[in-house]
Amino acid sequence: MEVVPKKRLELYSGRSHPELAGAIAQHLGVGLGHANITAFANGEIHCRFGESVRGADVFVVQTHAGAVNDWVFEHCVMIDAAKRASAKRITAVCPYYGYSRQDRKAEGREPITAKLVANMLRVAGADRIVSVDLHSGQIQGFFDGPFDHLTAGRVLVEYLERNLAYPPVVVAPDAGRLRVAERYAQYLDAELASVYKKRARGQVRALGVMGAKEVEGRHCVLIDDMIDTAGTIVAAAEILMATGASEVWAMATHALLSDPAVDRLKNSAITKVVVTDTVPLASEKRIDKIEVLSVAPVIADAIDAVFEDTSVSEIFDGENQP
Amino acid sequence: MEVVPKKRLELYSGRSHPELAGAIAQHLGVGLGHANITAFANGEIHCRFGESVRGADVFVVQTHAGAVNDWVFEHCVMIDAAKRASAKRITAVCPYYGYSRQDRKAEGREPITAKLVANMLRVAGADRIVSVDLHSGQIQGFFDGPFDHLTAGRVLVEYLERNLAYPPVVVAPDAGRLRVAERYAQYLDAELASVYKKRARGQVRALGVMGAKEVEGRHCVLIDDMIDTAGTIVAAAEILMATGASEVWAMATHALLSDPAVDRLKNSAITKVVVTDTVPLASEKRIDKIEVLSVAPVIADAIDAVFEDTSVSEIFDGENQP
Amino acid sequence: MEVVPKKRLELYSGRSHPELAGAIAQHLGVGLGHANITAFANGEIHCRFGESVRGADVFVVQTHAGAVNDWVFEHCVMIDAAKRASAKRITAVCPYYGYSRQDRKAEGREPITAKLVANMLRVAGADRIVSVDLHSGQIQGFFDGPFDHLTAGRVLVEYLERNLAYPPVVVAPDAGRLRVAERYAQYLDAELASVYKKRARGQVRALGVMGAKEVEGRHCVLIDDMIDTAGTIVAAAEILMATGASEVWAMATHALLSDPAVDRLKNSAITKVVVTDTVPLASEKRIDKIEVLSVAPVIADAIDAVFEDTSVSEIFDGENQP
Amino acid sequence: MEVVPKKRLELYSGRSHPELAGAIAQHLGVGLGHANITAFANGEIHCRFGESVRGADVFVVQTHAGAVNDWVFEHCVMIDAAKRASAKRITAVCPYYGYSRQDRKAEGREPITAKLVANMLRVAGADRIVSVDLHSGQIQGFFDGPFDHLTAGRVLVEYLERNLAYPPVVVAPDAGRLRVAERYAQYLDAELASVYKKRARGQVRALGVMGAKEVEGRHCVLIDDMIDTAGTIVAAAEILMATGASEVWAMATHALLSDPAVDRLKNSAITKVVVTDTVPLASEKRIDKIEVLSVAPVIADAIDAVFEDTSVSEIFDGENQP
Amino acid sequence: MEVVPKKRLELYSGRSHPELAGAIAQHLGVGLGHANITAFANGEIHCRFGESVRGADVFVVQTHAGAVNDWVFEHCVMIDAAKRASAKRITAVCPYYGYSRQDRKAEGREPITAKLVANMLRVAGADRIVSVDLHSGQIQGFFDGPFDHLTAGRVLVEYLERNLAYPPVVVAPDAGRLRVAERYAQYLDAELASVYKKRARGQVRALGVMGAKEVEGRHCVLIDDMIDTAGTIVAAAEILMATGASEVWAMATHALLSDPAVDRLKNSAITKVVVTDTVPLASEKRIDKIEVLSVAPVIADAIDAVFEDTSVSEIFDGENQP
Amino acid sequence: MEVVPKKRLELYSGRSHPELAGAIAQHLGVGLGHANITAFANGEIHCRFGESVRGADVFVVQTHAGAVNDWVFEHCVMIDAAKRASAKRITAVCPYYGYSRQDRKAEGREPITAKLVANMLRVAGADRIVSVDLHSGQIQGFFDGPFDHLTAGRVLVEYLERNLAYPPVVVAPDAGRLRVAERYAQYLDAELASVYKKRARGQVRALGVMGAKEVEGRHCVLIDDMIDTAGTIVAAAEILMATGASEVWAMATHALLSDPAVDRLKNSAITKVVVTDTVPLASEKRIDKIEVLSVAPVIADAIDAVFEDTSVSEIFDGENQP
């Protein structure tokens, strides 16, 4: 009994960010499957796929922002269901990867929760992970299978190229982000600067600007991977303005915008905040100065490459990417 | 270089039910460790143990009720931290084990989330699990290590013996709980009855009482492992009253009491609801007819047995237990 | 070098029940492969596949009844051979799943052997399990891969519908089987009753009937998942007759019929025993009152669904099944 | 809470060879634990330890001869029970290791069952294996933990030294055993010879003797790891006699003596068969020419060394051992 | 979205033996992929595949001879890269399998490094291993997946048949190789002899010849799996000549020829050394008496069989092979 | 049979850096065990422990620099031997952790070799890792067990405090090291600057200095985790001098000093190179301007803490450490 098998792509969305999943589906030209997710009165999540996934190449999209623990758990529940329903291969698509800042022990007796998330996805049954602009690239090594690390860099850079007459000064909002800022600066042929912390022992934790000379009288763009409570980026913008910057924009892939981020941004010197849609943005948070670009095409291209076994390396994170 | 090692017991509590953990610590005569758990603005949980756990026998107490996904996740985070901080052995103490009803695929394309929870605890680093009155004993088999399954049966039975002049009629609130009810009835030398569902195909899903004759004019006690939204138990009480019961009590180990359980119980024919403290009960839910018994001594005895490698089999679930 | 692959189905049978495997093969329209199994003089089993299984979708059929340890071991040996011979995917087909009653620790210091069987099949190399009417559905959770749980319910129910003018009273032979009996009763629109145990502490372990009123003067059908030594079911039939039943049939998926089951059934009040062929029935055990229905079509349909990646959910166990 | 732990040794025996386990216990000066093993009517094995094994160093003795599949399975069942009952460490003591000749694929599409046995013991919960005179030393590598490989060599050699005035000619019964025979010959300062097979392609599979000159007029001792059906060893003895040997003894660690071994030995030219008690010898098989030496002291010393963390290397297999 | 998948074969070579990989590629009619392997100044190896391997059936050829640790490590690095780049299946092709003589503990407190190599290849991501003439067949059992064990036996035997008028005496260079020599002798219908060690206790470790009579005046061929420093084989040749052999050849699959092997061979009584190209032979080692046969066709056939899921059992090691 | 166990510390050294291991042993007041490591003529490594390690707490010290693949492999071989010899716990002590810069995929189709190293150590049998100043802290997450990450920060800082009258300007040699440099600067209350790369797209990869103003006329100290070929650090020193620095020192934990590092340093503007002894420094590389500090006390303290289950958090890497 011999049969030529067909491959089927099935795309499911958790409840964290259905809009993004829908946009990805549209780009792929496929329909979103029916995952039938409900929460019982006691908070337990249930899911039951509406279609057979036997032998299918299943992609489960869930961004780990908002009610992060619920969404990671739900992601695992969906993957477990797909595994037990005989999916051929399961890819966990995490536009924003949860707990990505907890990627090492900064102190003793701490967890490495970004590793725990990878372990959970694996033990639930994920064969592969797709994510965008990880807080650190080393998180790829937390998973012993293929991990496609995409970048929104081109999307962000094209925005700058479209909206600015000449290159801005690229600024890292803290010391740990200088390498990424440097990559943007090189790609844009731009000047580079960095905000940093000083004099911790002497109790005062003040900020300084390295490259102050470059900043004076110039349009600065702060580059970060995420904006959470916006404390760092707003403080960085302040010291840039104090140093003589003519204008400050902020740019980041992941717009967590946890309270009081929106208030801080609204009241800050930052005139434009450019982010992507890896994280859903509630309408009350959509203030004028926030511009949201979509990574749906990038993720859709990656899913297509995974499904079709083709290579589209320009969407993947790498040294030659912004 | 030779050393005679000492064993140290370290007891930590997650944030789901610190009162119970405190009571357990008191029974054990030890202090609760400082887990220093916080949630960041974006919902991510962080923990850092305040004491060294190197070489210690660590017990992490967390009940999986309330914000169940948060608490299961937090449980894993704490276990991961203990593992990386060189604990010698880690026991996950789950007074209520999350997702215990999702212990099999009732339909196709469903997850088995009770197994997922066991997998998560294991991959986080748990060497052993302790839990109370699992929805089904088979959940022990979901974990390939020691799983101490305790029962609150004696605590509940002693309450009945103390408060009733003669044995009540023990009633299973649905067909699936008859085996447990039978065990209680045998232990109490009591009559047995069961509520059941009928005629599903002909659209109407009515309830019936098996053992109606025994119920008439008698004091009935419904026995369940948990009361969640109280729909089942209240409906069972109604049909028992309609069948002629003189009074109905409800008894269960886990008082999830999700909305609208308390309203339902308040307005129901049930005159007393006897539960334990495996799940925290908010003060606004503590209505008069609810009686809460403590399982802290049972769990403390089990932890002591695990730590000291002694055997206290009467606290463990088994055929000869109520 | 690019090739369009073909999938091949290879079906092998262990020595426990070649008739059933043959019937399955016939339904599938494929030939049974040559497994060349022999036992050496010292009892060690050897197998060597007669055909190449490279890249094939291999199904190994073995029912775990009779010389249960030999057959489970032989199952593992065949799976190990298939794995090392480069099968693409291996499905362990267990019409009767061995040790399914040892699915939890009923007492301390006991094994959970149903979990051990799952572990053995996995470590031998099984990617998936197919079984029929497990003693408890939770056994699916003992295996961290797809586990297709089939039901013989429809086969049994159709027999009743064909052979009885109107619905019988469905009776659970003990408290633990009431949920399954309830499902049959709902499906058949029939009355429900249950046998149960009473007064264990006061030394006497007598049986009682719940729903005695329904039983009087009626044709009763006891529903169980298996008949082993027939002690439970014969005792249940006796008390049903003593309660006034007009006739008692027994119905079960798995006819283990260990000694002295056949004698007991022969001498019992039961007038008909309806079982399936998941377990081979020696000719000397084929007494008149035993009726054997075949599950070969059900298993063949499941194998076909697995091989073709199609969905035939009506053959799988679920809440809407009898 | 700090405690100085005590280590407890618990020794349990499966049902395959209780006499040997008893002798080991006596040498150790400990009592055998109560494993309470029973087989149900359908052949399923059950075990329940009579004492607490919490925190104990548990040794489970089971020789894999006789009903080999039952005994390997029972071994796993006991280990699973010990694991779930919180044993601190579990050692599988296999005086004869089952399926040790199936240690590689001699042909394609075969299993490697000796590896399967190791996998089963591991997945059941064994932390360590102790065995005697494996068919091939490479089996140690099938288990990724400590594997104490003991040898009965000294016991056998001492017998020769006690019972023979001067060294015999040591003979390998087939080509595969020459290395071991060489080790014995070196240790005894004896001459060496080997039986071998010839001319397979030309249909005839005759035997030859290498070292025929040494054999003439001499007392030969055939050395093997096991005697199963005795076909090989009896044929070897015949050709040795035909070659002019004055007398032939056979010596082996494992006396499987499967039918028709005893008849063959009785009718053979072999005048003495020296074996050990790793395998139980039914009384009807205890013919005069068979001499049984005990390995209980060797195994007891190894268990003591494992428990006490001491080193007794002369009992372990190695290049400098006979 | 349904697609009929295509399978792609991608063949990569490590740096240990590119000539052999090239010959294999040629036989297969495919090109070698670009692995871009470099070593940094500090000795760390880096590799980056030049083509996409997404979904491909990847074969990584690396022989573990020469700088054995570097090459095993590089093999793992390449496999890890292929795994993370989403190869569908990865086969480690090891013409010579490293550390194959360290396949058991010859003494206590030793590693089993052949098992460690299998563990490393697995943890790096290999799904399958292909190797030629393992030192012991049991090494197959060190890997819990398909392990295709090829033999160069036919290649070597055909050389003898082509170059000798009548069968030589086949001689095992030490006791441990007699079984393999026996297989050659049977296949060639040849006489058999063996060199062996004697009198170790009495300090002197002399060599002897079993089958001396057969050797006298005859052309002998020593058969080994590998020639490393050539100490064993040269000593064996000497004693054969001393025993009266007319001529001695040596034949082995793996020509490690570590110093001072070539000098020893050059100065020895051996007149011809027939080996294969599983190991690269530096030009300065290619002395006249060494004849190198190619196993590239054997390995290419095996790769083709693996890729195409066909069976070519005559190239695989087995009892009916020379 | 009850025994109070004793713990034994056994310390072994691989061949990569015996001087450091000896110094650690001296600090601990224990002797180094005899590992008896040899390399065969074909390059294969062998080890056999000279003492029993049964039940011991074994620490295997091996720095992964020099012949890095040999040393990592040897590390694994030693750990495998300890595991099979029944060590109770095995700690891999890696003063310099191999391949630590290959900790993420900088481009597609690359390995993550730092993860591979962790996987190898784990599969060999390591229970725990101890290392110093990892290239990135995330490498801790590559191992799912305790990973003690030590820092040489205090040792380096104390040198500065001892040898400089007032704080230098701390300079990151490239953008990726700014966070670590910032930590040093905060700890020393020093000014901060960074070298960075610019204009990559426009072909020219020039260097710039951020914080140039601070550098002018000042004593600068470049801080890195390792100096490999010294290309980065020497180029950084040049541009610092060109920017007006009065003097430049370089400071790093790991002195790989691969060719042509020493020549570059000798000819560079750097006047002092302060490193530690995590990597052995050949005498010909010990030029005057290189100062070597010892981390032996730090590692010895960590081993002592691990063995004694005490906590010495000031030696572990963390946010409050330099």
Side-chain angles (χ1 to χ4, degrees), chain F residues 285-300:
Chain F
K285 292 187 170 178
R286 294 180 173 273
I287 57 174
D288 275 4
K289 60 170 82 167
I290 298 182
E291 190 88 34
V292 182
L293 311 177
S294 181
V295 293
V298 174
I299 295 176

Side-chain angles (χ1 to χ4, degrees), chain F residues 154-176:
Chain F
R154 267 168 210 254
V155 173
L156 295 170
V157 154
E158 279 165 20
Y159 181 88
L160 289 182
E161 291 176 333
R162 250 191 343 264
N163 288 278
L164 290 178
Y166 43 89
V169 181
V170 173
V171 188
D174 64 25

Side-chain angles (χ1 to χ4, degrees), chain B residues 103-109 112 115 119 122 135-144 147-148 161 174-176 178-179 182 185-202 205 210-214 311 313 317-320, chain C residues 103-109 112 115 119 122 135-144 147-148 161 175-176 178-179 182-183 185-202 205 210-214 311 313 317-320:
Chain B
D103 56 359
R104 65 195 209 291
K105 286 168 67 180
E107 299 291 333
R109 304 169 205 147
I112 303 185
K115 171 62 167 151
N119 284 349
R122 174 175 56 75
H135 184 63
S136 63
Q138 287 85 352
I139 290 171
Q140 289 174 282
F142 290 178
F143 188 77
D144 261 329
F147 192 131
D148 288 310
E161 291 176 333
D174 64 25
L178 183 57
R179 181 145 63 173
E182 185 190 55
Q186 289 184 304
Y187 197 87
L188 287 163
D189 222 339
E191 300 292 332
L192 182 69
S194 182
V195 178
Y196 69 99
K197 287 201 285 284
K198 51 189 185 181
R199 269 179 303 265
R201 268 175 118 198
R205 244 176 204 267
M210 276 197 299
K213 215 173 51 193
E214 284 73 21
S311 178
S313 66
D317 181 71
E319 293 299 343
N320 300 321
Chain C
D103 57 358
R104 66 196 206 293
K105 287 168 67 179
E107 299 291 333
R109 304 168 205 147
I112 302 185
K115 171 62 167 153
N119 283 350
R122 174 174 56 76
H135 184 61
S136 62
Q138 287 84 352
I139 290 172
Q140 290 175 281
F142 290 177
F143 189 77
D144 259 330
F147 192 131
D148 288 310
E161 290 176 334
L178 184 57
R179 180 145 62 175
E182 183 189 58
R183 243 163 68 182
Q186 289 184 306
Y187 198 87
L188 287 163
D189 221 339
E191 300 292 333
L192 181 69
S194 182
V195 178
Y196 69 100
K197 288 200 286 285
K198 50 188 184 184
R199 270 179 305 263
R201 270 175 118 195
R205 239 178 208 267
M210 274 196 300
K213 215 171 52 191
E214 285 72 20
S311 177
S313 65
D317 181 71
E319 292 300 342
N320 299 321

Side-chain angles (χ1 to χ4, degrees), chain F:
Chain F
M1 205 159 135
E2 293 211 344
V3 174
V4 178
K6 293 224 173 62
K7 291 202 311 179
R8 280 157 44 225
L9 188 163
E10 296 279 351
L11 186 68
Y12 288 98
S13 174
R15 294 177 300 164
S16 66
H17 197 355
E19 298 75 18
L20 177 60
I24 293 169
Q26 205 165 11
H27 274 279
L28 281 167
V30 302
L32 264 182
H34 301 87
N36 302 314
I37 308 174
T38 49
F40 293 120
N42 73 335
E44 292 183 3
I45 293 164
H46 183 259
C47 114
R48 179 166 194 271
F49 293 120
E51 304 84 17
S52 171
V53 301
R54 278 189 186 274
D57 202 357
V58 174
F59 295 81
V60 183
V61 181
Q62 178 86 316
T63 206
H64 301 167
V68 53
N69 304 315
D70 286 323
W71 301 148
V72 172
F73 202 96
E74 183 172 295
H75 212 174
C76 292
V77 166
M78 296 174 76
I79 291 166
D80 186 89
K83 169 182 71 184
R84 296 185 188 279
S86 305
K88 183 198 184 85
R89 187 170 63 170
I90 303 170
T91 300
V93 181
C94 319
Y96 171 70
Y97 183 98
Y99 284 91
S100 62
R101 277 168 298 182
Q102 192 67 32
D103 56 358
R104 65 193 208 293
K105 286 167 68 179
E107 297 292 332
R109 305 167 204 149
E110 282 189 339
I112 303 185
T113 315
K115 171 63 166 152
L116 179 63
V117 168
N119 283 348
M120 284 177 166
L121 293 171
R122 174 174 57 75
V123 87
D127 299 301
R128 164 199 304 273
I129 296 179
V130 169
S131 189
V132 184
D133 284 337
L134 295 164
H135 184 62
S136 63
Q138 287 86 351
I139 290 172
Q140 290 175 282
F142 290 177
F143 188 76
D144 259 330
F147 192 130
D148 288 309
H149 184 195
L150 312 178
T151 179
R154 267 168 210 254
V155 173
L156 295 170
V157 154
E158 279 165 20
Y159 181 88
L160 289 182
E161 291 176 333
R162 250 191 343 264
N163 288 278
L164 290 178
Y166 43 89
V169 181
V170 173
V171 188
D174 64 25
R177 307 308 302 173
L178 183 56
R179 181 147 61 176
V180 170
E182 183 189 57
R183 243 164 66 183
Y184 273 82
Q186 288 184 304
Y187 197 88
L188 288 163
D189 222 337
E191 299 292 331
L192 182 69
S194 180
V195 178
Y196 69 99
K197 288 200 285 285
K198 49 190 186 182
R199 268 179 304 263
R201 270 174 118 196
Q203 239 64 303
V204 195
R205 246 177 201 267
L207 292 183
V209 175
M210 275 196 299
K213 214 172 52 192
E214 285 73 19
V215 163
E216 275 172 57
R218 296 290 305 280
H219 185 163
C220 294
V221 179
L222 286 157
I223 301 281
D224 214 339
D225 60 326
M226 71 181 79
I227 302 177
D228 187 358
T229 59
T232 301
I233 207 130
V234 163
E238 264 166 37
I239 194 162
L240 286 176
M241 291 304 287
T243 309
S246 63
E247 184 171 0
V248 180
W249 286 10
M251 198 162 229
T253 304
H254 308 295
L256 301 182
L257 302 189
S258 309
D259 279 337
V262 174
D263 282 346
R264 277 181 176 157
L265 290 172
K266 205 184 293 179
N267 303 327
S268 78
I270 300 172
T271 52
K272 190 170 281 293
V273 180
V274 186
V275 296
T276 81
D277 58 354
T278 56
V279 170
L281 203 57
S283 56
E284 71 271 18
K285 292 187 170 178
R286 294 180 173 273
I287 57 174
D288 275 4
K289 60 170 82 167
I290 298 182
E291 190 88 34
V292 182
L293 311 177
S294 181
V295 293
V298 174
I299 295 176
D301 285 357
I303 289 176
D304 190 61
V306 168
F307 178 64
E308 298 279 12
D309 291 330
T310 54
S311 178
V312 200
S313 66
E314 59 269 26
I315 59 176
F316 297 107
D317 181 70
E319 292 299 344
N320 299 321
Q321 300 295 329

